Amino acid sequence: MGRKRRTSSNRKPTRSVRRPNLTGTVRLTEGGGTVETAEGSFRLSGRALREVMNGDIVAVSVQRRAEGGKRAVVESVLERAHAGIVGTFSLAGPLGCVRPLDTRVRADFFVLPSDGSPMRCGVKEGDVVSARIVSYPTRLESGTVTIERRLGGADASDLGIRSIMARYDLEDGYPEPVVRAAEALALDVEGALQDPLRRDVRGRFALTIDPVDARDFDDAICVAKTAHGGFTLSVHIADVSHYVMWDDPIDLEARRRATSVYLADRVLPMLPERLSNDLCSLRPGEDRLAMTVDMVLDANGALKEASIYPSVMRSRVRLSYDEAQALLDGVSGTAAEWVARAAEEGVDLVELLHCADELARLRTRVRERRGAVDFDTVEVHALLDEDGEPSALTVRKRTAATGLVEEAMLLANECVAAWLARRDLVAAYRVHEQPSPDHLHAAATILVELGIIDRVQALAIAAGEQAAMRAALADAEGTPASELVNALLLRAMQRAVYRSQNMGHYALGAQAYCHFTSPIRRYPDLIVHRVLKFALARERLGAKEAHTRACALTGTGASSFSSMAPQLCRACSERERVADAAARASQKVEVARFYANRLGERFAGTVSWVDALGAFVRIDETQAEGLIHMRDLGDEWFDLDERTLTLTGSATGRRIRPGDRVIVEIRATDELRGHLDLALVETRAALHW
């Protein structure tokens, strides 16, 4: 049966001590829930899970339990995070029932007999629907909904993705006024060059390197060696703020979305296609408006000076990451057309890439010396065929080609953030605070218990020493412990957020950091561009000219950016969280679809994590992750030791923990929820760290 055993016969009665109400945000998982408050994160009591949804703002009291630990009791829901649900419709006598696809939601919702929405929307038994919540569940009553639209039957090929879009309130397409405003925009290079701040750098050799399927090219680089062995690096970023004015229809829609969302089968862009894939995209051979950062570095990769300004530029070459990597690896015949075009302008494209790669490696060492910590996570992506069916699963890995672009963007972001911070400007900084010592201690304790690190290393990690974390990650690289070490330390980190004031970036070891390099797809980057332009105008053209430009850049009065900066930064952080969750959920849907026709097949894999749900297994063949539920671990009860991440069979003493090699069978898939359920066939000898 393989369930976690509950021993309640001799349990002491709970003695609760209520503390004054706290306000917090609900965070639910399939295994339970917590509430994040100013005084810490507390586990929610089981009875509260039925009446709250992820993201709800609640008032709670904290109870200290007699057996140890604290639990939060929901006293009231102050603000609901969700106005609707997506679920499967069925009949329950005279009522309609909508069972949420989001398995974190513990309650079904009902459609009252007097509500004609099922008939009006043509809904049948088993259909997936989007429903608006009329009343929320309480401890005494079920919630009610009214159906807004039918998403489709269970056989629709993209139903899983459409369900995710509805679940996360994501939209495809734009309101007509926004589309009309975007279509009315045009490129006027000569007019733009009338601005005394803008420079013409079209004579420089710039190139873009992006994923093979990218359509919005928002960055380009120029790199060269200096006579003294140092480097010059220019990063050109699409000048979205030239087209999108503060508070105009496009801006308000972009502000509401805050970010592009990259789902498994589609992109939901922050900006209309006229901007994202045309006017602002740095396509090769076409003049484009940009914001440029020119940097001079010494032979060790240390920054010596930087300047920032609006520009007109022209990209010469467009490479995919694979093409760039092949050129670095010396594969003959790669991107022959682009190599030839570069040669016509007297540029050796391969030599240029090696120069950029050399600089990237130097910059990596610079960041490491100042304390940066890089985490390596496994991200599985589905490759879809022409019919939208998942044909293969792939893992995107870091390469020299991705690294040289990443390091250039990191440095440009740092230069801009430092420029803003020196002037104490209100902007959208990317802030990553130091992790909680308690969280680091918990992660280090598990790593010690598993024998991955020693106690000296654990003490250093618990103290927040980045060098100790880097050492643990480096020692684990290429071993079965690598994924676990990365996961544990990453979970101990705070989540990076946007703030209106600079507070530094712990993981990057940067005193100031912001996002500047992707204004096509991130609203905070667009904010940074606007603040930069306003400050540049004030410094170089005077206060009067800056005031004239303020309306289009940052607004004035109560509706200006400076007046609403904290709220905007919070909203951007939350929308980023939603976009990331939706992207991950969409990939899980495609993973489930990929394995839907392989039920009963067996695969080798490695246990990647264990918790109250069971054991998660990373399948060797595709790196996809599935779950062995407690009930499918075997014919005995299993107890979970959270301190050592170990599941132990009560009858045999058999242990299952991260790093164990297993043979699993595909037991079931749920394409709508993105679940891949496995059954344990065989446990091989545990791998020793």
Side-chain angles (χ1 to χ4, degrees):
M1 291 180 291
R3 296 178 183 170
K4 183 182 177 183
R5 183 170 54 187
R6 292 184 172 88
T7 55
S8 58
S9 57
N10 297 317
R11 179 173 293 173
K12 297 178 182 178
T14 299
R15 182 185 67 207
S16 63
V17 179
R18 285 185 182 268
R19 299 173 57 194
N21 282 4
L22 298 172
T23 299
T25 304
V26 173
R27 299 298 177 202
L28 298 181
T29 67
E30 293 182 351
T34 59
V35 58
E36 298 174 354
T37 76
E39 295 190 17
S41 180
F42 303 96
R43 183 170 295 181
L44 283 169
S45 63
R47 63 182 181 177
L49 297 177
R50 185 179 179 278
E51 56 188 306
V52 296
M53 300 174 73
N54 192 61
D56 284 351
I57 307 298
V58 295
V60 298
S61 58
V62 178
Q63 297 181 346
R64 188 181 300 277
R65 299 171 66 85
E67 66 270 28
K70 300 173 183 177
R71 288 290 178 96
V73 176
V74 175
E75 302 292 347
S76 62
V77 180
L78 304 177
E79 183 181 334
R80 291 289 185 176
H82 300 272
I85 61 167
V86 175
T88 305
F89 180 80
S90 62
L91 295 173
L95 301 171
C97 176
V98 178
R99 174 163 294 176
L101 294 182
D102 187 347
T103 52
R104 298 173 300 178
V105 180
R106 300 300 180 86
D108 293 344
F109 290 77
F110 293 92
V111 182
L112 298 177
S114 58
D115 187 337
S117 61
M119 182 175 294
R120 184 173 63 253
C121 295
V123 174
K124 301 175 183 177
E125 183 98 10
D127 283 349
V128 174
V129 299
S130 175
R132 176 172 53 84
I133 298 173
V134 176
S135 66
Y136 292 87
T138 68
R139 296 171 193 176
L140 301 177
E141 295 183 345
S142 298
T144 60
V145 294
T146 184
I147 295 173
E148 293 191 319
R149 67 182 184 276
R150 175 181 181 270
L151 295 180
D155 57 347
S157 62
D158 68 340
L159 185 57
I161 302 298
R162 289 166 58 195
S163 297
I164 286 168
M165 291 172 61
R167 188 189 316 169
Y168 290 98
D169 296 323
L170 302 174
E171 301 171 23
D172 209 349
Y174 286 83
E176 186 58 33
V178 176
V179 175
R180 287 199 304 269
E183 292 298 329
L185 296 170
L187 173 66
D188 180 6
V189 171
E190 296 309 316
L193 283 172
Q194 298 306 305
D195 183 348
L197 293 178
R198 194 175 295 276
R199 304 182 196 176
D200 189 344
V201 296
R202 286 176 288 182
R204 299 182 188 177
F205 188 91
L207 76 156
T208 65
I209 307 176
D210 291 278
V212 66
D213 55 352
R215 298 171 64 193
D216 54 342
F217 312 134
D218 52 11
D219 61 77
I221 62 172
C222 307
V223 62
K225 276 283 190 74
T226 67
H228 302 290
F231 301 83
T232 60
L233 171 67
S234 294
V235 173
H236 310 285
I237 305 299
D239 187 1
V240 176
S241 63
H242 178 83
Y243 301 100
V244 182
M245 307 298 154
W246 182 262
D247 270 352
D248 76 4
I250 303 174
D251 181 53
L252 293 176
E253 182 67 15
R255 192 184 305 172
R256 186 180 68 82
R257 296 179 182 228
T259 181
S260 296
V261 184
Y262 294 85
L263 302 178
D265 70 340
R266 70 197 72 186
V267 177
L268 308 177
M270 182 182 78
L271 297 173
E273 187 170 341
R274 169 67 171 156
L275 285 165
S276 59
N277 295 343
D278 186 3
L279 287 178
C280 294
S281 185
L282 307 184
R283 299 190 298 212
E286 299 182 19
D287 294 345
R288 286 293 182 264
L289 306 185
M291 289 291 289
T292 293
V293 184
D294 287 339
M295 294 157 279
V296 179
L297 304 99
D298 66 19
N300 295 316
L303 181 68
K304 296 173 64 178
E305 59 182 85
S307 60
I308 308 166
Y309 52 88
S311 65
V312 176
M313 58 79 64
R314 179 183 295 175
S315 174
R316 298 299 202 278
V317 167
R318 187 275 198 227
L319 295 175
S320 70
Y321 283 123
D322 289 343
E323 288 173 329
Q325 187 60 49
L327 288 172
L328 286 169
D329 293 338
V331 179
S332 61
T334 301
E337 180 182 355
W338 294 120
V339 172
R341 287 194 191 182
E344 290 173 1
E345 298 194 34
V347 174
D348 186 326
L349 187 56
V350 175
E351 183 179 320
L352 185 152
L353 289 173
H354 279 291
C355 177
D357 179 46
E358 180 184 354
L359 176 57
R361 294 176 190 277
L362 290 170
R363 287 301 306 170
T364 299
R365 289 199 284 272
V366 168
R367 291 193 299 106
E368 287 177 350
R369 285 196 296 270
R370 73 185 189 203
V373 183
D374 287 330
F375 296 98
D376 193 12
T377 57
V378 180
E379 296 182 8
V380 177
H381 293 263
L383 301 180
L384 307 182
D385 61 21
E386 293 181 355
D387 298 322
E389 297 296 325
S391 58
L393 302 180
T394 183
V395 177
R396 294 183 181 175
K397 297 181 179 180
R398 290 181 179 177
T399 64
T402 62
L404 68 87
V405 174
E406 181 181 4
E407 290 296 337
M409 299 305 122
L410 286 171
L411 182 54
N413 286 337
E414 285 186 36
C415 287
V416 170
W419 194 95
L420 297 170
R422 283 196 300 270
R423 292 157 176 80
D424 198 25
L425 294 172
V426 174
Y429 295 92
R430 186 66 167 176
V431 171
H432 187 226
E433 297 183 67
Q434 186 164 340
S436 158
D438 290 343
H439 292 164
L440 287 174
H441 176 74
T445 298
I446 293 174
L447 293 175
V448 169
E449 293 289 344
L450 292 173
I452 298 174
I453 63 174
D454 59 33
R455 297 193 180 277
V456 174
Q457 289 175 290
L459 288 172
I461 289 173
E465 294 182 15
Q466 289 119 312
M469 295 181 210
R470 284 200 310 276
L473 292 167
D475 290 344
E477 187 175 358
T479 75
S482 180
E483 184 175 357
L484 179 63
V485 175
N486 274 273
L488 283 169
L489 293 179
L490 188 57
R491 287 177 184 223
M493 296 293 114
Q494 302 267 27
R495 186 181 177 95
V497 296
Y498 296 106
R499 295 274 174 82
S500 57
Q501 299 294 331
N502 174 46
M503 297 172 63
H505 198 293
Y506 175 82
L508 291 175
Q511 293 183 349
Y513 193 70
C514 70
H515 280 162
F516 160 82
T517 53
S518 296
I520 289 177
R521 62 184 179 90
R522 288 189 305 229
Y523 196 76
D525 302 53
L526 179 53
I527 289 173
V528 166
H529 281 223
R530 288 165 164 165
V531 173
L532 267 174
K533 281 187 174 182
F534 176 77
L536 286 168
R538 187 172 57 192
E539 288 188 4
R540 300 176 187 178
L541 304 178
K544 184 177 179 180
E545 177 63 22
H547 181 74
T548 301
R549 300 183 180 210
C551 289
L553 291 173
T554 56
T556 58
S559 64
S560 67
F561 167 68
S562 59
S563 297
M564 52 199 301
Q567 301 95 306
L568 268 179
C569 287
R570 280 197 300 270
C572 288
S573 297
E574 184 55 38
R575 291 306 300 172
E576 176 192 51
R577 190 185 294 242
V578 169
D580 288 347
R584 288 193 299 270
S586 74
Q587 294 295 343
K588 289 181 179 179
V589 164
E590 298 302 337
V591 167
R593 292 181 66 208
F594 180 80
Y595 281 104
N597 296 321
R598 307 182 75 174
L599 300 183
E601 293 187 30
R602 295 182 174 184
F603 301 92
T606 302
V607 177
S608 55
W609 190 260
V610 300
D611 61 21
L613 292 176
F616 291 86
V617 173
R618 183 81 60 191
I619 296 173
D620 291 350
E621 183 182 83
T622 61
Q623 294 298 296
E625 191 175 57
L627 172 64
I628 309 174
H629 288 275
M630 288 286 193
R631 64 176 180 270
D632 297 317
L633 286 172
D635 296 327
E636 60 179 317
W637 297 96
F638 278 82
D639 291 312
L640 171 65
D641 184 341
E642 295 182 353
R643 188 173 55 89
T644 61
L645 292 181
T646 302
L647 292 166
T648 304
S650 58
T652 64
R654 183 162 57 101
R655 297 194 307 169
I656 299 173
R657 67 180 190 176
D660 285 354
R661 295 288 294 165
V662 293
I663 301 295
V664 294
E665 182 178 294
I666 307 298
R667 184 179 182 274
T669 61
D670 187 330
E671 298 176 33
L672 288 180
R673 292 180 173 86
H675 290 180
L676 176 60
D677 293 339
L678 310 173
L680 182 63
V681 176
E682 177 186 343
T683 304
R684 295 180 177 176
L687 294 170
H688 298 288
W689 310 115

